[in-house]
Amino acid sequence: MKRIVTVIVSLLFASLAVSFAQKHTYRIECGKKTSQVTFDTTVKGDAVYLYVVLGSQKSWFTLDKQYRTKDWHVVDDVQDTDLNIVYNGGKFSMKGKFKGKQVDRTWDGKGYPWYQHIGYSAGHFLKSETVPYNCIRPTDMEFFTMTATDMGQMDFKGMKVVRVKTAPHGAFAKLWSCDYYYDPETLDFAGYYGVEGGPGTPATYWILEK
């Protein structure tokens, strides 16, 4: 009997430690155009696995327990893309195919953490501060160093959120910025606001639906 109880307790703790999963859907609005993106999260031990579907693009991310991005695999059959990006030892490595062209390059991360989805990660580490970080622009796979600043709580699309302002790191910070939002209670990514084009381009919103 004692052995059976021990086995049951061990299995219970193992199941709790193995995984936690959740899924969120966001509505994307840009002028009169609407679409959606889904985020599927699985937590196993010290790793967070994030699966994102945006149109024809599918992305798999591995994050550490501080929600820093470790690797990213992106596939888009429509755009002929199958690319792997890894951040290890302060160095980025990008290999595969992007929009039909072969890619094989490495570069220095300048000592900053990689937060590919800063809105998704910010609630888990950003607390009334400004933090520099690395990210890669998905449209052309160009590398940028950015800053994220906790701007405090506000209302966004009927939700109580924490606003995170992001901008290029350094002298270009005054030229462009965008906002990400997270739920202060659950720490979940709640939305986005930014203008992703030249003058006259309508603002883009990501809004948590469920």
Side-chain angles (χ1 to χ4, degrees):
M1 182 66 181
K2 183 177 180 181
R3 183 179 178 182
I4 294 175
V5 171
T6 301
V7 170
I8 291 173
V9 171
S10 298
L11 289 173
L12 176 60
F13 276 99
S15 65
L16 290 173
V18 166
S19 66
F20 165 76
Q22 64 177 3
K23 180 177 181 178
H24 291 306
T25 300
Y26 302 84
R27 183 174 73 259
I28 302 175
E29 298 178 353
C30 183
K32 296 181 179 180
K33 296 180 180 180
T34 61
S35 56
Q36 73 173 30
V37 58
T38 59
F39 282 55
D40 277 286
T41 304
T42 302
V43 180
K44 293 184 179 181
D46 289 339
V48 180
Y49 300 95
L50 176 63
Y51 174 55
V52 178
V53 178
L54 174 59
S56 59
Q57 185 182 94
K58 300 177 178 66
S59 294
W60 294 262
F61 301 88
T62 305
L63 292 75
D64 65 16
K65 60 183 179 181
Q66 283 81 39
Y67 284 74
R68 297 172 297 199
T69 310
K70 297 173 63 178
D71 58 62
W72 173 20
H73 179 203
V74 56
V75 174
D76 191 327
D77 293 336
V78 173
Q79 294 196 355
D80 195 14
T81 293
D82 189 341
L83 196 62
N84 283 291
I85 305 101
V86 177
Y87 192 43
N88 187 29
K91 301 285 185 180
F92 280 93
S93 174
M94 180 185 292
K95 293 184 179 181
K97 184 167 55 174
F98 180 67
K99 296 183 178 179
K101 296 182 179 180
Q102 292 297 321
V103 178
D104 188 350
R105 58 178 292 213
T106 59
W107 67 93
D108 185 14
K110 303 179 181 179
Y112 298 123
W114 181 21
Y115 294 112
Q116 186 59 30
H117 276 290
I118 189 66
Y120 177 81
S121 299
H124 299 276
F125 77 91
L126 190 64
K127 305 298 177 186
S128 302
E129 58 186 342
T130 296
V131 174
Y133 69 98
N134 292 320
C135 71
I136 298 168
R137 187 164 59 193
T139 54
D140 56 11
M141 293 298 162
E142 289 297 320
F143 168 79
F144 291 91
T145 300
M146 306 283 288
T147 58
T149 303
D150 184 330
M151 304 297 290
Q153 294 195 26
M154 61 172 286
D155 291 323
F156 172 73
K157 301 293 184 177
M159 297 179 284
K160 292 288 185 181
V161 297
V162 175
R163 176 191 172 205
V164 177
K165 179 181 178 180
T166 66
H169 186 49
F172 293 103
K174 296 180 180 180
L175 300 180
W176 180 85
S177 67
C178 63
D179 292 339
Y180 293 86
Y181 310 98
Y182 69 86
D183 186 312
E185 295 185 3
T186 65
L187 307 182
D188 290 334
F189 175 42
Y192 163 85
Y193 164 80
V195 177
E196 301 174 353
T201 304
T204 296
Y205 294 89
W206 290 27
I207 305 159
L208 176 64
E209 288 193 321
K210 60 181 180 178

